[in-house]
Amino acid sequence: MPEEVEVSAGRTRNRWGEGDRLRGEILDAASRLLSELGGEDGLTIRGVARAVGIAPASIYQHFTDRSALVAGLLDHEFARLRAAMEAAEASEDPADVVGRVRALIHAYCSFAMENPGHHRLMMANGATRATPDAYPKGPLPDLIELLTTGFARCDAAGFSLRVPAERAGVIAFVGAHGRVALFHNSPVRGGADSVLPFVDELVSLVFA
């Protein structure tokens, strides 16, 4: 059998051992379609396969059904958002602990404004509870933990907080999330300059 076989116009099958690359291509295509569709309702196995240039059966080798594809897409997008937040924080002066917190929140807001369909899907599916009283688990609480760690670093550096760092992280995230939701629902949208000053003010209110 030849190493590469034509499967559709403009695309060749991955070589043996390159399945991870195909999985990444599938997720990238699903992400692009999610942007075009504005939400997950129109996302289908057949549509994603068409976007990648493969047969639908090839997707089933990586995702058993549409639900598994959406779950994989969620992991993909949360990883993308976390990487953007961490890169933004790393771009700041390590000694500027408050600036690093602002950078984290700015990166979250920018991602959410630029990817509304992704953001809605992620916020609806980013956390679970083993029991009603248990602390939520999942990629969304992990993002909030980035903020919590940032605020704890501020407190340790002498920037006193009005509330414990854990609470500060939740307040900052919920406030930023709410402001982005208003941005998405407003009939007359401003740009990032209508959101980022708000979250900066919100961060400043957390400090004593």
Side-chain angles (χ1 to χ4, degrees):
M1 179 182 293
E3 201 169 31
E4 293 185 350
V5 179
E6 185 73 13
V7 294
S8 69
R11 191 186 189 284
T12 54
R13 180 177 299 167
N14 289 306
R15 294 181 176 85
W16 293 107
E18 293 185 341
D20 287 344
R21 190 178 77 178
L22 177 56
R23 188 178 192 277
E25 291 177 3
I26 291 168
L27 291 172
D28 286 340
S31 181
R32 291 194 304 273
L33 285 175
L34 190 61
S35 292
E36 295 170 7
L37 296 168
E40 66 165 311
D41 290 345
L43 195 66
T44 65
I45 294 286
R46 188 171 298 276
V48 173
R50 187 181 305 115
V52 181
I54 58 177
S58 297
I59 291 184
Y60 290 115
Q61 296 175 15
H62 299 272
F63 303 99
T64 55
D65 54 23
R66 181 181 178 279
S67 295
L69 174 61
V70 171
L73 180 59
L74 279 167
D75 290 340
H76 179 73
E77 295 304 324
F78 270 112
R80 197 159 67 93
L81 172 54
R82 185 183 183 98
M85 292 174 68
E86 290 177 335
E89 182 187 22
S91 70
E92 297 294 316
D93 181 346
D96 185 3
V97 289
V98 177
R100 290 168 65 184
V101 169
R102 288 199 179 100
L104 285 168
I105 301 178
H106 283 197
Y108 164 76
C109 291
S110 295
F111 180 96
M113 289 187 287
E114 294 166 6
N115 302 276
H118 305 69
H119 182 247
R120 284 193 293 271
L121 178 63
M122 293 160 70
M123 294 304 106
N125 297 275
T128 58
R129 294 176 186 266
T131 65
D133 297 329
Y135 189 81
K137 301 290 185 181
L140 183 54
D142 289 347
L143 294 182
I144 297 174
E145 181 63 24
L146 289 178
L147 295 174
T148 295
T149 299
F151 279 116
R153 192 181 295 116
C154 292
D155 193 40
F159 296 90
S160 299
L161 304 173
R162 295 181 184 275
V163 293
E166 294 81 1
R167 189 66 179 161
V170 172
I171 289 171
F173 180 83
V174 171
H177 173 70
R179 184 61 187 88
V180 169
L182 289 175
F183 168 84
H184 286 316
N185 294 324
S186 174
V188 181
R189 290 184 183 176
D193 55 354
S194 69
V195 174
L196 300 186
F198 173 87
V199 297
D200 283 343
E201 184 177 0
L202 179 64
V203 168
S204 69
L205 292 175
V206 173
F207 294 99

